[in-house]
């Protein structure tokens, strides 16, 4: 006997994400899901971005996704903001932050005392792109050291994101890399995406990035 | 490796879709569609599904995965096109203002169960 059915396999995950979103909206909280390969500079970028947002009077927090370690959370401690470590290992070592994990992390945050919440996803250009967490915006960080071809290899990630930050711009002169080609490949996957070249080391482009965040929030 | 989470989600979706008078143990086949953009590796998904189904109440269920090609429509000139490469640009007018029609998302599309009169023939996995 055949049972015909059309059902979104991720409906449970999406339902949790919608619950998260309702809570964010209730507190007028702007939520950014930051994704990238491992080592592209997400944590360093946050450590430089958040003080600039604080200067503008915005209260920030971070949900720090990782499989097992607390290294990134510890790196953000000096900012003096709420940082919640969300490890996926108890949930089977998922390679992405799931909506259920965000929901669990929210218990440790006073959402009414925040303006912007960053979810730093697990370093991976494939899996995190698949899952809606309830965020307002998805952002991808692509470092100059990763090669021009990455947007074409991982198109879903670049299709899903509103912004692509090209990080480690300070290294570009030392690398055999064509930033114009990276930008062109990003646009091939998503013509509507905003591309912002940045360097956490020199501060290049951080103002434009902060401006984008402030305008959206 | 989001295939593990997806395999677990497929099992849950099947559970939720079964009519009350159908036993999960009688499920012989589960069919899903995966959009190409989701970058799900069918062999990995089937391997993981088989690994977790062994400990579930559907040990007989065979997973079939159909890949759905990516198709878009150009919002500027209305051309519909399927894509070989992940280049979201209209082949006619070169606009990047394109909308996805197909090729994203993972859907459960069918379940086959052994009917009571089939019981004596055992579970072949091929209804």
């Amino acid at each position: 006997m055949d049972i015909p059915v059309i059902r979104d396999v991720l409906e449970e995950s999406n339902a949790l994400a919608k619950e998260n979103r309702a809570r964010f909206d209730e507190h007028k909280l702007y939520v950014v899901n930051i994704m990238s390969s491992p080592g592209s500079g997400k944590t360093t970028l946050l450590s430089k971005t958040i003080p600039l947002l604080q200067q503008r009077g915005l209260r920030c927090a971070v949900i720090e996704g990782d499989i097992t370690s607390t290294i990134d959370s510890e790196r953000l401690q000096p900012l003096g903001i709420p940082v919640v470590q969300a490890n996926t290992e108890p949930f089977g070592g998922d390679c992405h932050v799931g909506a259920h994990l965000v929901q669990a992390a929210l218990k440790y945050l006073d959402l009414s005392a925040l303006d912007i919440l960053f979810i730093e996803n697990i370093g991976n250009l494939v899996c995190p792109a698949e899952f809606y967490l309830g965020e307002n915006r998805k952002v991808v960080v692509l470092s100059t050291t990763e090669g021009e071809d990455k947007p074409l290899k991982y198109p879903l990630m670049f299709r899903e994101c509103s912004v692509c930050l090209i990080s480690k711009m300070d290294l570009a002169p030392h690398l055999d890399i064509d930033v114009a080609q990276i930008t062109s490949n990003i646009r091939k996957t998503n013509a509507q995406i905003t591309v912002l070249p940045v360097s956490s080391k020199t501060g290049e482009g951080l103002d434009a990035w902060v401006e984008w965040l402030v305008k959206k929030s | 490796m989001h295939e593990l989470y997806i395999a677990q989600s497929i099992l849950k979706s099947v559970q939720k879709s079964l009519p009350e008078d159908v036993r999960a143990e009688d499920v012989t086949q589960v069919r899903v569609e995966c959009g190409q953009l989701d970058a799900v590796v069918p062999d990995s998904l089937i391997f993981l599904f088989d690994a977790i189904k062994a400990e579930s109440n559907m040990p007989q269920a065979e997973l079939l995965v159909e890949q759905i090609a990516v198709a878009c429509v150009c919002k500027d000139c209305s051309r519909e096109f399927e894509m070989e490469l992940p280049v979201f640009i209209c082949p006619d007018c070169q606009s990047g203002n394109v909308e996805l029609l197909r090729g994203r998302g993972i859907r459960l599309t069918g379940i086959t169960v052994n009917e009571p009169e089939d019981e004596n023939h055992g579970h072949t996995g091929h209804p």
Side-chain angles (χ1 to χ4, degrees):
Chain A
M1 175 176 71
D2 275 341
I3 301 167
V5 55
I6 292 288
R7 190 171 211 141
D8 179 359
V9 163
L10 298 180
E11 67 182 359
E12 197 174 292
S13 164
N14 288 330
L16 287 174
K18 282 181 187 148
E19 286 174 21
N20 292 343
R21 182 56 180 269
R23 289 197 61 198
F24 300 150
D25 288 347
E26 182 192 337
H27 294 281
K28 297 187 175 63
L29 179 61
Y30 184 70
V31 182
V32 181
N33 177 5
I34 299 191
M35 301 177 283
S36 78
S37 300
S40 68
K42 291 186 297 296
T43 311
T44 306
L45 179 81
L46 282 175
S47 72
K48 301 290 180 176
T49 301
I50 288 166
L52 297 174
L53 290 166
Q54 288 171 317
Q55 283 170 21
R56 295 175 179 235
L58 292 163
R59 300 160 302 168
C60 304
V62 179
I63 293 175
E64 187 58 63
D66 211 335
I67 294 177
T68 57
S69 87
T70 56
I71 294 167
D72 288 349
S73 288
E74 288 158 24
R75 284 176 60 197
L76 294 176
Q77 286 304 327
L79 296 173
I81 60 162
V83 177
V84 182
Q85 179 69 45
N87 283 356
T88 62
E89 197 184 29
F91 297 92
D94 276 332
C95 46
H96 63 274
V97 170
H100 57 292
L101 199 54
V102 171
Q103 203 153 82
L106 294 182
K107 294 191 187 96
Y108 300 93
L109 292 169
D110 176 3
L111 301 188
S112 61
L114 296 172
D115 300 304
I116 300 185
L117 171 64
F118 292 100
I119 300 166
E120 185 180 341
N121 219 307
I122 290 166
N124 178 341
L125 283 174
V126 183
C127 313
E130 182 71 50
F131 299 94
Y132 174 52
L133 307 178
E135 71 276 60
N136 296 83
R137 288 285 183 273
K138 288 184 164 99
V139 172
V140 58
V141 180
L142 178 68
S143 58
T144 51
T145 55
E146 289 172 64
E148 294 97 344
D149 55 350
K150 294 303 167 291
L152 300 175
K153 284 188 173 176
Y154 306 100
L156 181 62
M157 177 60 80
F158 293 85
R159 283 292 297 173
E160 288 286 314
C161 288
S162 310
V163 173
C164 176
L165 300 169
I166 303 179
S167 65
K168 305 189 187 181
M169 281 299 292
D170 52 288
L171 290 178
H174 311 287
L175 301 168
D176 188 12
I177 190 143
D178 181 349
V179 175
Q181 187 60 56
I182 298 177
T183 307
S184 161
N185 286 346
I186 294 166
R187 295 217 184 284
K188 279 179 189 168
T189 63
N190 183 351
Q192 282 72 39
I193 200 168
T194 300
V195 180
L196 298 172
V198 297
S199 165
S200 296
K201 197 176 176 107
T202 67
E204 176 192 345
L206 292 184
D207 282 346
W209 158 232
V210 166
E211 204 55 53
W212 184 89
L213 284 167
V214 169
K215 211 185 299 176
K216 295 291 175 186
S217 65
Chain B
M1 207 53 180
H2 52 324
E3 283 86 357
L4 178 59
Y5 184 89
I6 292 166
Q8 290 163 333
S9 301
I10 291 170
L11 274 179
K12 279 186 198 168
S13 293
V14 175
Q15 296 277 18
K16 281 194 265 181
S17 306
L18 289 177
E20 271 181 32
D21 56 343
V22 173
R23 297 184 326 147
E25 288 77 4
D26 293 331
V27 173
T28 55
Q29 193 185 77
V30 172
R31 295 179 292 281
V32 295
E33 281 181 354
C34 289
Q36 250 183 330
L37 201 52
D38 295 86
V40 170
V41 180
D43 285 353
S44 299
L45 185 59
I46 291 165
F47 174 81
L48 291 160
F49 181 86
D50 288 348
I52 60 174
K53 81 178 181 192
E55 294 177 12
S56 79
N57 55 2
M58 287 179 228
Q60 309 295 335
E62 176 199 21
L63 180 66
L64 294 187
V65 181
E66 186 188 354
Q67 289 268 57
I68 304 297
V70 179
C72 292
V73 60
C74 175
K75 290 166 87 177
D76 289 341
C77 76
S78 307
R79 161 84 190 261
E80 288 188 17
F81 58 100
E82 277 203 357
M83 292 169 26
E84 296 286 311
L85 295 166
V87 175
F88 290 78
I89 293 170
C90 173
D92 277 2
C93 74
Q94 309 304 312
S95 166
N97 187 16
V98 301
E99 194 177 281
L100 207 62
L101 291 173
R102 288 187 302 281
R104 168 85 167 101
I106 301 144
R107 272 174 293 279
L108 178 66
T109 55
I111 304 164
T112 304
V113 291
N114 242 351
E115 289 177 79
E117 58 264 34
D118 294 342
E119 294 268 294
N120 298 332
H121 303 296
H123 295 285
T124 61
H126 298 286

